[in-house]
């Protein structure tokens, strides 16, 4: 800490912080000499050619210090894993998504897509896997926000994120052992050890949905390590528009607040963090259907049944979700030992789903769930020997779900208590300069203790009277109250190697074993899911999912050309998925029946990211993802697997002209030609006619063009103004996406012109 | 313009430090937060959800207006209500050429005593409801009686109806109850509507006229 860093030949001097970080701003593409000095060290001079991102190492001779890496880049760039398939989304790229959602921003990464309900409920999907298979960490707190459902978007305000790491596969086992799909690590600002006050305000507006958005962050830092930050954002959208019609009732209101306070020193520190997010999200009015015939009519009509004039009003069906997250952590370093970190966090997630209901229950939500989670983490990081780092720790978690009976709708998710305990260790060995090896092992115990009402008819129809006769604790007129208690023991492991062959080539090999117990939705779903107009059935007999994932990454780096190739194979035992099964005949007519199923699955794919600098001002980038997923037992393709997509972007930038840049992006998504045919026939009872409900056929291929342009103007000494103008879906193309649940009812968004003003001060 | 930031020069020659103060304050904060959030809800058993406007039994009794011993009873029993399985039974056959009046019974038998849904819930809110009928393959016609209750959107509710059996035939009879329709039309007597939601949609198969 406190190393002095000089830029020779200029008056620029800075002090590195406790992690050795320092910053020089506003440099040109040329050769610089950097001088690093520190008490007890020999002053070292190095010559660097700055040309965008550059990489080098500085070896400081000191009595304890070891070889350290110094990364020179346009941004702070710390990876969470050494051998994972990890990508980082930087502040600047996140800021462009200020008016959108975290799920939209994550799609920057090749191989990351999303599964949507409309365009405001965006759930990230990593290599074809989503929901409980993706861990999301917000400021080192694992998000517990009822992530089990497809229409449950992560409760994160994108404006509170400073940097996001996307790790395909289970990543570091310190986060959890059940990341069959991947890990998303969201970090707030780094703390600067300087007496400073700085902030950022983003204002944006967009034509589609007549949306507007304001977000502000203010940071106060002290050289002594004390810091405080407050951030708030407000977002409002009215009805969005497809090229040919309004998407009635698709508006959004969202309010977010995040605040941090603490002291950060190298040797010790603490932080208190609190974040709040409330979102009211309208769901396409035309998606409210009654029976299976309504669904068939909606599919065949080709446009929404309900189209009204633009409005900011959000009517039913809608969601209203509030998420509170509070955390406290403390860490302390011990000489010749390492670092101990303790953390407690509490989360409260309140979810209301309002459906089209009638009579007295018009304003009563159909789903009213409160999920509370307490987590205690302890982590010990032994890094006294930088070539043999060892990390170990444990996690204790208690979760309480309460389903309010006042909804007047039988609970889809029951009341439950969940207890988790995890213990893990990871290690990282630097074998020599070019080779890093890492490995990890984790054990988790989960206990699910639920209290659920089953209709007697359902209980027998599912065969539970034979398999679970002992869990009935009470009997009413038509229902059994049951107390299922399930214990799961999960082992997860990872091993990987990172080998830098030479200046240009680097290879990473990684193997992950991940184990995920079934979630509340998969086990207990039973009943009419009103917002989806379908019956959903879980199964108490489900076992845990076990994933074996092997991946190989190759990075090729030349001054003008850069190519990252990521290949994976993921074999999942007891893979749980939700599929349309049949219809269920009720005295309201036939309803689609969706059932959770368990099978063995294999997924494999390749993700490419290529960048080519045509000239200094002109750059081309390609991101391509190809993935296949199969049900090994039936030899059928898996449902909801993203189709082949490729994005090409050409970007012109001119630093001399206020950092001006303009880019044109082509987004090409092919039709998913491998899908399971889960169509079913429904009989019209009156006249005996059979109707096929085409619930499986994916929509055709589409191609979209997007434009984005920005420039930055200095206003005062430390104030910069950035203006960004974008046009999404430039040609106003009509399209539907296979992974959008609203695809049965309406086209996706039409042209959207966005204007964003950002002030850094 | 580029920005240079370097990372990871960790200097591990730690000096002694004044950490006890932070430690105590952090511990204090932890305790504070834990103590007021960890009092979770008690472990009582969950309450059973009482579903409103549940209809378990729907019984249509057609009575010959000139011979009250000649009846046809169409009954649909769904013990779990509209969303559960149901059993339909048909008792009796229509007599060709005869005229019948239809009597409706809609009850919720899951409550004790059973709830008369038709008289206690539907008729008092007649302006929000509308019954529709349909037949297929069977020579039945129907009219809404002049003293039928007024239903939603200016149409007759459809609880008092008269049916005429034509030539011998067999087929299906359907009854639907629409809640809060946007528009209704009873000009063809059977009834048509848009919007709203179906509280009931039941088809009886194999009804006969002899």
């Amino acid at each position: 800490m406190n190393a002095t860093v000089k830029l020779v030949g200029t008056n620029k001097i800075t002090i590195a912080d406790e992690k050795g970080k320092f910053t020089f701003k506003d440099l040109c593409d040329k050769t610089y000499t950097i001088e690093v000095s520190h008490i007890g060290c020999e002053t070292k001079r190095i010559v660097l050619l700055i040309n965008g991102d550059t990489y080098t190492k500085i070896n400081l001779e000191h009595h304890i210090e070891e070889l350290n890496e110094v990364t020179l880049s346009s941004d702070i760039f710390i990876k969470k894993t050494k051998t994972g398939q990890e990508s980082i989304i930087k502040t600047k790229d996140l800021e462009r998504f200020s008016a959108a959602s975290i799920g939209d921003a994550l799609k920057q990464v090749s191989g990351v897509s999303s599964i949507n309900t409309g365009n405001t409920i965006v759930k990230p999907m990593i290599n074809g896997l989503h929901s409980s298979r993706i861990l999301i960490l917000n400021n080192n707190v694992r998000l517990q926000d009822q992530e089990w459902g497809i229409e449950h978007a992560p409760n994160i305000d994108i404006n509170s994120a400073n940097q996001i790491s996307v790790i395909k596969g289970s990543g570091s086992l310190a986060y959890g052992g059940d990341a069959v799909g991947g890990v998303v690590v969201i970090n707030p600002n780094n703390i600067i050890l300087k007496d400073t006050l700085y902030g950022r305000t983003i204002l944006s507006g967009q034509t589609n949905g007549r949306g507007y958005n304001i977000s502000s962050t203010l940071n106060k830092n002290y050289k002594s390590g004390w810091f405080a930050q407050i951030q708030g954002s407000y977002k409002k959208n009215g009805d969005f528009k497809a090229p040919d019609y309004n998407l009635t009732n698709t508006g959004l209101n969202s309010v977010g607040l995040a605040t941090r306070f603490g002291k950060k020193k190298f040797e010790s520190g603490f932080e208190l963090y609190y974040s709040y997010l409330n979102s009211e999200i309208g769901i396409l009015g035309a998606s409210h259907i009654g029976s299976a015939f309504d669904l068939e009519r909606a599919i065949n009509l080709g446009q929404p049944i309900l189209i009204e004039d633009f409005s900011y009003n959000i009517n039913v069906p809608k969601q209203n979700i509030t998420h509170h997250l509070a955390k406290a952590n403390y860490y302390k370093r011990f000489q010749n030992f390492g670092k101990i970190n303790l953390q407690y966090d509490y989360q409260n997630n309140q979810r209301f789903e309002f459906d089209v209901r009638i009579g007295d229950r018009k304003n009563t939500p159909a789903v009213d769930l409160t999920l509370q989670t307490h987590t205690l983490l302890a982590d010990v990081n032994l890094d006294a020997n930088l070539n043999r780092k060892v990390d170990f720790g444990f996690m204790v978690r208690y979760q309480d779900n309460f389903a309010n009976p006042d909804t007047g709708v039988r609970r889809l998710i029951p009341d439950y208590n969940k207890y988790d305990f995890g213990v893990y260790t990871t290690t990282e060995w630097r074998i020599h300069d070019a080779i890093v090896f890492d490995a990890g092992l984790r054990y988790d115990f989960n206990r699910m203790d639920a209290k659920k009402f089953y209709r007697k008819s359902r209980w027998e129809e599912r065969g539970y009277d034979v398999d679970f006769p002992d869990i009935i604790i009470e009997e009413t007129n038509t229902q059994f109250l049951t107390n299922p208690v399930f214990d799961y023991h999960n082992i997860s492991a990872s091993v990987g190697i990172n080998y830098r062959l030479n200046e240009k080539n680097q290879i990473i090999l990684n193997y992950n074993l991940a184990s995920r117990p079934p979630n509340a939705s998969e086990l207990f779903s039973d009943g009419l899911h009103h917002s989806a107009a379908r019956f959903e059935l879980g199964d108490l007999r489900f076992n845990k999912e076990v994933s074996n994932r092997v991946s190989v990454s190759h990075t090729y780096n030349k001054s003008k050309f850069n190519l990252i190739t990521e290949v994976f194979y993921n074999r999942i035992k007891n893979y749980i998925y939700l599929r349309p099964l049949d219809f269920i005949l009720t005295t309201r007519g036939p309803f689609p029946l969706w059932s959770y199923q368990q099978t063995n699955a294999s997924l494999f794919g390749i993700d490419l990211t290529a960048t080519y600098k045509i000239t200094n001002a002109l750059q081309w980038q390609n991101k391509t993802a190809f993935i296949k997923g199969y049900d090994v037992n039936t030899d059928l393709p898996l449902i909801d697997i993203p189709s082949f997509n490729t994005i090409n972007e050409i970007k012109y930038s001119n630093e001399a002209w206020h950092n001006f840049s303009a880019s044109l992006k082509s987004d090409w998504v092919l039709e998913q030609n491998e899908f399971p045919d889960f169509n079913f026939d429904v009989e019209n009872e009156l006249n005996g006619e059979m109707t096929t409900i085409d619930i499986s056929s994916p929509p055709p291929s589409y191609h979209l063009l997007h434009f984005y342009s920005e420039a930055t103007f200095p206003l005062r000494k430390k104030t910069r103004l950035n203006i960004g103008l974008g046009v999404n879906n430039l040609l106003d193309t009509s399209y539907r996406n296979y992974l959008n649940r609203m695809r049965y009812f309406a086209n996706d968004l039409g042209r959207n012109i966005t204007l964003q003003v950002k002030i850094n001060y | 313009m580029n920005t240079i930031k370097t990372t990871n020069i960790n200097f591990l020659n730690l000096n002694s430090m004044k950490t006890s103060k932070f430690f105590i304050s952090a511990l204090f904060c932890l305790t504070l937060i834990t103590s007021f959030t960890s009092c979770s809800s008690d472990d009582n058993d969950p309450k059973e959800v009482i579903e409103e406007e549940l209809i378990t039994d729907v019984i249509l009794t057609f009575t010959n207006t000139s011979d009250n011993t000649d009846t046809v009873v169409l009954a649909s029993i769904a013990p779990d209500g509209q969303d559960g399985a149901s059993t339909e039974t048909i008792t009796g056959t229509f007599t060709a050429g005869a005229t019948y009046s239809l009597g409706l019974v809609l009850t919720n038998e899951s409550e004790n005593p059973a709830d008369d849904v038709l008289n206690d819930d539907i008729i008092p809110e007649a302006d929000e409801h509308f019954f529709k009928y349909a037949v297929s393959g069977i020579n039945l016609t129907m009219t809404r009686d002049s003293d039928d209750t007024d239903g939603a959107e200016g149409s007759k509710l459809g609880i008092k109806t008269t049916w005429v059996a034509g030539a011998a035939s067999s087929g299906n009879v359907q009854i639907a109850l629409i809640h809060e329709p946007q528009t209704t039309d009873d000009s063809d007597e059977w009834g048509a509507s848009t919007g709203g939601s179906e509280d009931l949609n039941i088809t009886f198969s194999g009804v006969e006229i002899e």
Side-chain angles (χ1 to χ4, degrees):
Chain A
M1 74 216 108
N2 297 333
T4 308
V5 187
K6 267 189 221 169
L7 204 56
V8 178
T10 70
N11 56 357
K12 288 173 191 280
I13 297 183
T14 190
I15 311 285
D17 71 10
E18 83 274 18
K19 283 192 173 159
K21 287 173 210 152
F22 62 89
T23 310
F24 286 120
K25 285 182 177 168
D26 303 336
L27 300 182
C28 307
D29 280 355
K30 66 167 210 175
T31 303
Y32 286 96
T33 303
I34 284 177
E35 189 181 87
V36 187
S37 57
H38 186 253
I39 307 157
C41 299
E42 196 182 341
T43 297
K44 181 136 188 161
R45 279 184 166 217
I46 52 165
V47 179
L48 285 174
L49 173 68
I50 304 300
N51 184 7
D53 293 4
T54 318
Y55 181 85
T56 190
K57 286 176 179 179
I58 298 176
N59 187 358
L60 275 186
E61 299 294 335
H62 198 286
H63 54 281
I64 297 176
E65 280 83 31
E66 296 289 341
L67 197 74
N68 286 286
E69 278 184 17
V70 178
T71 310
L72 293 178
S73 92
S74 306
D75 256 301
I76 300 169
F77 196 73
I78 312 166
K79 288 205 171 183
K80 305 287 173 196
T81 60
K82 284 286 191 299
T83 69
Q85 291 183 324
E86 179 175 354
S87 309
I88 288 177
I89 308 173
K90 297 168 193 167
T91 315
K92 195 167 179 294
D93 296 321
L94 286 173
E95 284 170 344
R96 273 177 56 180
F97 289 88
S98 176
S101 68
I102 207 107
D104 291 312
L106 294 177
K107 284 194 270 189
Q108 299 284 296
V109 176
S110 176
V112 177
S113 50
S114 67
I115 188 153
N116 288 24
T117 303
N119 56 291
T120 47
I121 301 176
V122 184
K123 262 187 106 77
M125 194 180 212
I126 299 178
N127 288 148
L129 300 170
H130 59 87
S131 300
S132 296
R133 297 186 187 92
I134 294 182
L135 309 193
I136 298 180
L137 284 113
N138 183 11
N139 195 3
N140 205 38
V141 175
R142 180 171 173 178
L143 202 60
Q144 299 285 345
D145 62 343
Q146 311 185 29
E147 69 288 344
W148 48 66
I150 282 173
E151 70 287 9
H152 300 192
N155 288 280
I156 301 266
D157 178 6
I158 187 164
N159 292 295
S160 69
N162 186 60
Q163 178 188 286
I164 299 182
S165 274
V166 178
I167 306 164
K168 298 166 184 169
S170 64
S172 169
L173 294 178
Y175 302 130
D178 51 349
V180 172
V183 183
V184 176
V185 183
I186 297 163
N187 283 329
N189 281 6
N190 277 304
I191 304 304
I192 305 171
L193 285 191
K194 228 163 80 169
D195 290 324
T196 177
L197 177 71
Y198 67 100
R200 177 195 79 184
T201 296
I202 296 176
L203 285 163
S204 59
Q206 60 184 47
T207 54
N208 201 331
R210 301 184 203 172
Y212 51 90
N213 169 52
I214 177 165
S215 167
S216 252
T217 312
L218 201 62
N219 297 275
K220 178 73 189 149
N221 291 352
Y222 295 92
K223 205 175 167 183
S224 57
W226 288 97
F227 65 92
Q229 180 186 44
I230 187 155
Q231 180 263 330
S233 53
Y234 178 76
K235 201 179 285 185
K236 190 177 180 74
N237 270 311
D239 293 340
F240 287 95
K241 194 176 173 297
D244 300 322
Y245 41 77
N246 280 329
L247 299 167
T248 299
N249 201 46
T250 52
L252 167 82
N253 287 328
S254 168
V255 182
L257 178 80
T259 178
R260 302 162 72 196
F261 162 79
K263 182 162 187 174
K264 185 176 180 181
K265 298 287 278 182
F266 179 58
E267 57 272 17
S268 70
F270 74 96
E271 180 186 349
L272 298 175
Y273 176 78
Y274 168 74
S275 79
Y276 165 88
L277 182 68
N278 174 266
S279 308
E280 189 185 22
I281 307 169
I283 295 177
L284 184 73
S287 73
H288 172 78
I289 55 166
S291 67
F293 294 114
D294 288 349
L295 178 62
E296 190 260 335
R297 270 192 289 273
I299 291 171
N300 291 334
L301 189 63
Q303 68 168 54
I305 289 166
L306 179 79
I307 301 173
E308 289 175 0
D309 290 341
F310 172 86
S311 165
Y312 281 110
N313 292 342
I314 298 175
N315 297 314
V316 293
K318 67 173 179 182
Q319 301 180 354
N320 194 329
I321 302 135
T322 308
H323 192 80
H324 301 270
L325 187 162
K327 114 168 182 181
N329 80 314
Y330 171 78
Y331 65 87
K332 183 169 162 62
R333 270 192 175 278
F334 296 92
Q335 196 170 347
N336 297 328
F337 176 71
K339 183 174 166 185
I340 293 179
N341 190 28
L342 294 169
Q343 177 176 311
Y344 165 78
D345 59 78
Y346 168 71
Q347 295 176 76
N348 184 309
N349 188 271
Q350 170 68 62
R351 179 178 189 87
F352 295 114
E353 289 181 15
F354 294 87
D355 287 321
V356 178
R357 302 181 79 180
I358 42 184
D360 304 339
R361 293 274 167 90
K362 213 164 243 163
N363 300 314
T364 309
V367 172
D368 177 350
L369 296 171
T370 310
L371 184 72
Q372 297 186 75
T373 312
H374 303 265
T375 310
L376 195 65
L377 288 174
D379 181 83
V380 179
N381 195 343
L382 305 179
D383 56 4
N385 179 352
L386 288 173
N387 288 340
R388 293 276 191 279
K389 286 189 204 166
V390 177
D391 191 57
F392 58 89
F394 70 89
M395 175 275 297
V396 184
R397 178 175 293 137
Y398 167 71
Q399 187 169 73
D400 173 76
N401 185 56
F402 172 68
N404 191 343
D406 298 337
T407 56
V409 174
R410 293 179 57 253
R411 303 167 179 91
L412 198 62
I413 304 287
D415 288 7
Y416 71 76
N417 291 313
K418 190 164 168 272
Y419 308 86
D420 302 316
F421 171 74
V423 53
Y424 62 90
T425 178
T426 63
T427 183
E428 182 187 310
W429 292 12
R430 185 172 292 276
I431 292 165
H432 73 79
D433 259 13
I435 301 177
V436 180
F437 164 86
D438 69 7
L441 190 65
R442 182 176 173 117
Y443 165 78
D444 281 277
F445 168 77
N446 315 97
R447 168 168 288 179
M448 173 66 95
D449 182 347
K451 293 220 170 123
K452 174 165 172 62
F453 281 100
Y454 277 95
R455 276 181 178 159
K456 290 175 180 173
S457 54
R458 173 82 63 219
W459 185 253
E460 280 152 28
E461 181 250 322
R462 302 295 283 173
Y464 293 158
D465 53 337
V466 178
D467 290 355
F468 303 97
D470 303 333
I471 64 173
I472 297 170
I473 52 175
E474 209 179 294
E475 186 176 346
T476 73
N477 230 0
T478 56
Q479 303 196 79
F480 291 126
L481 175 61
T482 62
N483 180 205
V485 180
F486 298 124
D487 290 348
Y488 302 93
H489 300 274
N490 308 300
I491 300 282
S492 43
S494 78
V495 54
I497 190 158
N498 183 333
Y499 181 30
R500 193 192 305 274
L501 297 167
N502 51 43
E503 285 280 288
K504 295 186 186 108
N505 291 286
Q506 179 176 324
I507 284 182
I508 299 176
L509 295 169
N510 190 267
Y511 163 76
N512 287 156
L513 167 71
S515 184
R516 182 183 74 88
N519 64 34
S521 175
E522 292 159 342
L523 289 169
F524 305 121
S525 279
D526 155 39
L528 185 59
H529 191 179
H530 284 256
S531 66
R534 64 193 193 195
F535 274 79
E536 291 179 0
L537 283 184
D539 199 323
L540 293 179
R541 301 177 191 90
F542 282 153
N543 296 319
K544 66 188 176 198
E545 258 181 14
V546 179
S547 146
N548 283 279
R549 187 182 190 274
V550 185
S551 68
V552 182
S553 311
H554 174 249
T555 307
Y556 177 79
N557 232 324
K558 231 182 137 185
S559 59
K560 287 195 165 173
F561 183 67
N562 180 296
L563 174 69
I564 303 168
T565 310
E566 296 173 310
V567 184
F568 77 94
Y569 176 79
N570 196 352
R571 173 72 187 233
I572 307 173
K573 194 182 153 204
N574 298 327
Y575 176 77
I576 303 172
Y577 65 103
L578 182 62
R579 61 161 281 188
L581 190 70
D582 203 348
F583 69 91
I584 188 165
L585 199 59
T586 76
T587 55
R588 273 192 245 253
F591 272 82
L593 168 67
W594 288 60
S595 171
Y596 283 99
Q597 308 267 307
Q598 192 156 48
T599 187
N600 294 324
S602 77
L603 295 105
F604 55 91
I606 177 163
D607 303 328
L608 298 174
T609 309
T611 314
Y612 179 62
K613 273 191 180 152
I614 303 164
T615 67
N616 260 349
L618 212 56
Q619 176 182 289
W620 165 83
Q621 188 174 57
N622 174 278
K623 286 175 188 167
T624 298
F626 169 84
I627 177 173
K628 291 284 173 199
Y630 297 100
D631 179 331
V632 182
N633 296 4
T634 61
D635 230 9
L636 284 173
L638 291 178
I639 193 171
D640 292 338
I641 294 295
S643 56
F644 174 87
N645 68 85
T646 183
I647 295 170
N648 283 284
E649 184 178 15
I650 188 123
K651 184 175 178 181
Y652 169 82
S653 37
N654 187 342
E655 285 174 11
W657 196 22
H658 292 295
N659 249 337
F660 172 81
S661 74
S663 64
L664 190 66
K665 196 191 257 187
S666 135
D667 185 353
W668 194 33
V669 180
L670 287 193
E671 179 173 334
Q672 178 55 282
N673 57 359
E674 291 202 325
F675 61 94
D677 182 354
F678 290 149
N679 293 344
F680 53 86
D681 293 332
V682 179
E683 186 188 355
N684 181 332
E685 282 189 286
L686 186 65
N687 54 27
E689 276 174 25
M690 296 302 283
T691 309
T692 301
I693 312 287
D694 183 6
I695 203 163
S696 304
S697 300
S701 308
Y702 60 86
H703 177 253
L704 306 176
L705 281 179
H706 310 295
F707 170 79
Y708 188 77
S709 172
E710 66 176 334
T712 307
F713 307 92
L715 291 183
R716 271 180 292 147
K717 198 181 165 195
K718 282 184 171 172
T719 309
R720 278 171 297 132
L721 172 75
N722 175 285
I723 297 177
L725 177 73
V727 187
N728 266 2
N729 195 357
L730 198 64
L731 303 177
D732 211 16
T733 305
S734 288
Y735 70 101
R736 296 187 185 202
N737 188 316
Y738 178 52
L739 294 173
N740 191 335
R741 254 191 37 200
M742 292 297 139
R743 74 181 167 92
Y744 300 123
F745 309 103
N747 286 335
D748 230 301
L749 291 201
R751 186 183 295 123
N752 186 12
I753 304 169
T754 59
L755 180 69
Q756 187 179 77
V757 178
K758 180 178 81 190
I759 306 165
N760 284 81
Y761 43 87
Chain B
M1 289 187 296
N2 287 320
T3 303
I4 304 187
K5 290 190 183 179
T6 73
T7 58
N8 294 350
I9 312 179
N10 292 325
F11 297 94
L12 294 178
N13 54 335
L14 303 181
N15 306 316
S16 63
M17 39 211 141
K18 294 178 237 164
T19 53
S20 52
K21 198 173 73 183
F22 309 146
F23 190 73
I24 289 162
S25 56
L27 209 65
F28 171 73
C29 298
L30 263 170
T31 320
L32 197 75
I33 290 176
T34 315
S35 57
F36 78 81
T37 54
S38 60
C39 332
S40 59
S41 56
D42 51 3
D43 250 354
N44 288 343
D45 286 344
K47 276 198 292 180
E48 189 177 15
V49 171
I50 306 300
E51 290 174 286
E52 258 189 16
E53 299 199 359
L54 200 68
I55 303 169
T56 60
D57 293 20
V58 178
I59 298 164
L60 289 74
T61 306
F62 296 86
T63 308
N64 191 329
T65 49
S66 50
D67 172 9
N68 62 11
T69 62
D70 175 15
T71 59
V72 180
V73 180
L74 309 181
S76 168
I77 312 295
D80 290 329
Q82 291 96 315
D83 298 337
S86 64
T87 314
E88 277 74 43
T89 54
I90 300 162
T91 313
T93 54
F94 288 98
T95 309
T99 300
Y100 294 82
S101 70
L102 170 59
L104 285 179
V105 175
L106 278 70
T107 53
N108 177 4
E109 303 285 336
S110 74
E111 283 184 23
N112 196 7
D115 185 17
D116 183 345
V117 180
L118 182 66
N119 288 303
D120 296 348
D121 297 313
I122 297 172
I123 292 174
E125 291 176 356
D127 59 341
E128 292 177 5
H129 289 89
F130 186 56
F131 281 99
K132 294 197 290 191
Y133 299 92
V135 293
S136 168
I138 183 169
N139 292 319
L140 275 174
T141 55
M142 58 85 67
T143 48
R144 293 174 190 245
D145 296 350
S146 54
D147 63 344
D148 189 6
T149 307
D150 287 335
E153 306 297 317
S155 292
K156 285 175 181 160
L157 181 57
I159 53 165
K160 284 186 181 168
T161 53
T162 301
W163 297 64
V164 176
S169 52
S170 81
N172 304 334
V173 175
Q174 189 177 68
I175 179 172
L177 172 61
I178 315 298
H179 199 164
E180 297 196 342
Q182 282 169 351
T183 66
T184 62
D185 181 2
D186 61 359
S187 56
D188 74 344
E189 302 295 339
W190 300 107
S193 68
T194 61
S197 68
E198 288 185 337
D199 278 351
L200 290 174
N201 187 335
I202 304 169
T203 305
F204 298 93
S205 313
V207 185
E208 288 182 22
I209 302 176
E210 283 182 347

